[in-house]
Amino acid sequence: MPQHSEAQARLVVDDEFRVGPVHDRVFGSFVEHLGRCVYTGIYEPGHPTADAEGFRQDVIDLVKELGATTIRYPGGNFVSGYQWEDGIGPKENRPRRLDLAWHSTETNQFGLHEMVSWLNKAGGNELMEAVNLGTRGLPEALDLLEYANVPEGTARSEERIRNGADNPFDIRMWCLGNEMDGPWQLGHKDAEAYGKLAASVAAGMRMLDPDLELVVCGSSNHTMDSFGKWEETVLEHTFDKVDFVSAHAYYFPQLMENGSRDMASFLASGVDMDGFIKDVGAAIDATKARLKSDHNVYISFDEWNVWYHSNEQDKKLEKWVRAPHQLEDVYNFEDALLVGSLLITLLRHADRVKIACLAQLVNVIAPIMTSDTGAWRQTIFYPYMHASVYGRGTVLNTQVLTPVYESKTYGDAPYLDSVCIWDEEHDALTIFAVNKSLDEDMEVSCDLRQFEGYRLAEHIVLTNDDMKAVNTEADPDHVAPTHSDATKLENGKIHTVL
């Protein structure tokens, strides 16, 4: 990474200048019927730690520690060919299907009932259910909503009761399809066709339950040729009927001419996420103004992560295998740095981003990995866990005065990413910060005299001399947080070294 002349940065905050409160849903995650996320991930009957329902307790314990809140389910690309009825009723009667999205075989031994039960055991996480708008439409969405949320007295609600759930699931958040702008998506549609379909489904679902929260599909990434126009067209049809528009982003380092990977640009990927959020926000505002609406639509960044390590291995996978080892990225310390930066970016946009889901939760591009004999934390587990535990409160408008470097992909990028979260209820201020320089330490200062009486509680640091360091089952704590004594708070001013 390029050298800079002065490895110093300063943060400027004021408790009067606030971006907005952090919503719990920003610390969401994602469970898709893909690879080993469900089968041998969260669900493995016969495993030594499995309970009577087949849920792995070692995974549940790590999910609780991670602090994941909202869980998006069951996809993802998978949902665009999914028949939700396959996953209910007696397990011996459930059909096996070929999953065209990921070219595997789905046994349907895990479905809606199992997901609701697992969520209750994993800490009472909120379910964010996706409906299939690829190969299905309004009738099937209404059937699913009736099955899930109507207490009793209808065909579908009585079917749920016969299947063992006397009480409705009361699912409040629903995704209207997945990545419908993507040509890879089963049932892919153009913006006009999808916008009309989503508007029809949203209107119908609200007739059954007007208080639902609905997410309409935005662009599946920032570089789609249709980006921007897609958002405005879809929102023209759906604006007053939905509450969120989705955004998805996966980041990876580009290969350079010499065969190495461009890590400077990789670590600058937060610049792209920041621009993505601003651009979607502009499309929302433009549509709202054009429609003269007083309704607010926010951003659901319901898929984001690093994804590239498993690409070559996945090319060798055999088709139609049950629960293959697919998308199993083994994350290193560099990836943890970027995940920290992306979390900071999401928090800095708390006024826009009300939902965010790290994709995914277990085994598949995930913070948690499992084997037959154990479960362990990947490097990216820690920045996510720290954000969830300490990132509750109000985001302060944090000005980061930092040197910058030029990245090939994203242009000028700051060496320091940072944001301050103020938890008034508990009189706590948390500073999240990532030093992206691979060459030098970063001296950071901040004037906190307005927070009179505050003391330094702790400085948690995730660092490693080896940027390629990973955690494994044999060495699960190779990359792990420690405590630092590099921070001083004197006369209301904080000084630290990253």
Side-chain angles (χ1 to χ4, degrees):
M1 185 172 286
Q3 296 281 344
H4 52 84
S5 59
E6 189 177 41
Q8 295 182 349
R10 183 163 61 93
L11 307 180
V12 180
V13 295
D14 190 307
D15 59 10
E16 295 293 335
F17 293 90
R18 310 178 185 189
V19 175
V22 178
H23 200 293
D24 287 351
R25 290 171 173 170
V26 169
F27 308 110
S29 192
F30 181 25
V31 169
E32 181 173 5
H33 286 247
L34 162 58
R36 297 193 307 120
C37 186
V38 173
Y39 303 110
T40 74
I42 66 178
Y43 177 77
E44 189 175 3
H47 188 270
T49 71
D51 64 14
E53 292 185 87
F55 304 146
R56 288 183 58 153
Q57 187 61 48
D58 56 353
V59 172
I60 287 176
D61 291 343
L62 288 178
V63 170
K64 288 181 178 180
E65 181 185 341
L66 183 68
T69 54
T70 299
I71 305 295
R72 183 168 172 251
Y73 174 84
N77 294 349
F78 173 80
V79 77
S80 290
Y82 183 49
Q83 301 179 59
W84 66 268
E85 304 93 333
D86 290 347
I88 61 174
K91 292 189 178 184
E92 62 270 19
N93 296 334
R94 297 183 189 181
R96 294 170 69 95
R97 303 280 190 189
L98 297 183
D99 169 27
L100 302 184
W102 299 108
H103 302 105
S104 61
T105 296
E106 172 57 50
T107 65
N108 285 302
Q109 294 301 289
F110 187 100
L112 181 58
H113 286 255
E114 288 78 20
M115 188 62 189
V116 170
S117 179
W118 183 84
L119 287 170
N120 289 333
K121 293 182 178 183
N125 313 70
E126 182 182 22
L127 177 58
M128 182 182 186
E129 181 78 8
V131 299
N132 176 357
L133 294 190
T135 60
R136 311 188 92 183
L138 178 58
E140 294 85 1
L142 290 177
D143 279 350
L144 175 55
L145 179 58
E146 178 186 320
Y147 185 92
N149 284 10
V150 173
E152 60 183 349
T154 67
R156 287 299 190 184
S157 63
E158 292 296 326
E159 183 181 11
R160 183 199 69 243
I161 292 171
R162 289 195 300 273
N163 287 333
D166 291 340
N167 297 318
F169 299 139
D170 194 29
I171 304 170
R172 308 318 305 161
M173 261 198 309
W174 297 79
C175 298
L176 303 178
N178 174 78
E179 292 185 359
M180 299 309 300
D181 63 325
W184 58 84
Q185 200 72 205
L186 198 61
H188 160 68
K189 297 167 178 64
D190 62 30
E192 188 72 21
Y194 170 70
K196 289 179 178 178
L197 175 61
S200 171
V201 173
M205 294 179 75
R206 289 201 185 282
M207 290 177 72
L208 199 159
D209 187 341
D211 297 324
L212 298 177
E213 295 180 78
L214 303 179
V215 184
V216 74
C217 289
S219 294
S220 51
N221 63 69
H222 200 188
T223 61
M224 294 293 290
D225 290 340
S226 57
F227 174 71
K229 182 64 176 176
W230 172 277
E231 275 75 9
E232 293 196 15
T233 301
V234 169
L235 287 172
E236 287 274 1
H237 290 288
T238 63
F239 197 89
D240 289 320
K241 299 179 180 68
V242 301
D243 305 283
F244 306 92
V245 60
S246 71
H248 294 175
Y250 294 99
Y251 294 105
F252 58 93
Q254 300 281 351
L255 280 173
M256 298 190 292
E257 292 181 0
N258 63 7
S260 64
R261 292 192 177 272
D262 182 2
M263 301 315 297
S265 290
F266 177 65
L267 293 178
S269 298
V271 173
D272 177 77
M273 178 183 270
D274 181 78
F276 194 0
I277 293 168
K278 289 176 179 176
D279 290 345
V280 175
I284 292 171
D285 291 344
T287 307
K288 179 176 181 177
R290 193 159 53 249
L291 298 177
K292 299 178 176 61
S293 175
D294 58 2
H295 179 62
N296 290 319
V297 172
Y298 297 100
I299 296 173
S300 174
F301 219 116
D302 46 45
E303 287 188 34
W304 69 271
N305 206 344
V306 173
W307 175 12
Y308 74 98
H309 295 285
S310 58
N311 290 349
E312 291 304 313
Q313 180 62 34
D314 287 350
K315 293 177 183 178
K316 305 172 186 176
L317 288 174
E318 182 183 350
K319 284 188 175 182
W320 315 127
V321 173
R322 176 189 175 274
H325 287 256
Q326 193 169 11
L327 276 70
E328 295 198 6
D329 277 35
V330 176
Y331 290 117
N332 59 33
F333 180 65
E334 288 167 334
D335 303 321
L337 283 176
L338 179 56
V339 165
S341 287
L342 297 177
L343 284 160
I344 287 170
T345 303
L346 291 167
L347 289 169
R348 288 175 68 93
H349 289 282
D351 55 335
R352 288 282 194 189
V353 179
K354 302 296 183 181
I355 305 170
C357 300
L358 178 72
Q360 294 186 14
L361 186 59
V362 184
N363 287 328
V364 175
I365 51 172
I368 298 169
M369 292 294 289
T370 72
S371 71
D372 293 340
T373 54
W376 63 97
R377 308 164 190 84
Q378 292 231 64
T379 62
I380 67 170
F381 182 100
Y382 295 108
Y384 182 100
M385 181 264 287
H386 288 145
S388 180
V389 171
Y390 298 106
R392 309 304 177 100
T394 300
V395 178
L396 299 182
N397 189 359
T398 310
Q399 301 301 306
V400 184
L401 307 179
T402 172
V404 300
Y405 66 93
E406 183 179 354
S407 71
K408 182 177 179 181
T409 304
Y410 304 117
D412 285 349
Y415 273 104
L416 179 72
D417 284 332
S418 187
V419 68
C420 298
I421 312 293
W422 187 26
D423 183 353
E424 286 186 85
E425 181 181 354
H426 299 100
D427 275 340
L429 181 74
T430 299
I431 300 173
F432 294 102
V434 174
N435 173 19
K436 294 183 291 190
S437 172
L438 302 181
D439 302 310
E440 298 184 69
D441 293 346
M442 176 73 70
E443 296 181 18
V444 182
S445 63
C446 186
D447 188 338
L448 299 176
R449 283 177 290 183
Q450 61 196 292
F451 296 95
E452 186 176 356
Y454 276 41
R455 61 176 178 81
L456 179 64
E458 60 181 340
H459 177 178
I460 303 171
V461 60
L462 188 68
T463 187
N464 201 283
D465 291 335
D466 179 6
M467 295 298 288
K468 307 299 182 183
V470 301
N471 290 341
T472 64
E473 183 175 14
D475 189 4
D477 299 319
H478 185 63
V479 178
T482 59
H483 286 80
S484 171
D485 59 2
T487 302
K488 307 298 180 185
L489 178 60
E490 298 173 344
N491 300 318
K493 296 183 178 182
I494 196 167
H495 297 271
T496 191
V497 176
L498 305 181

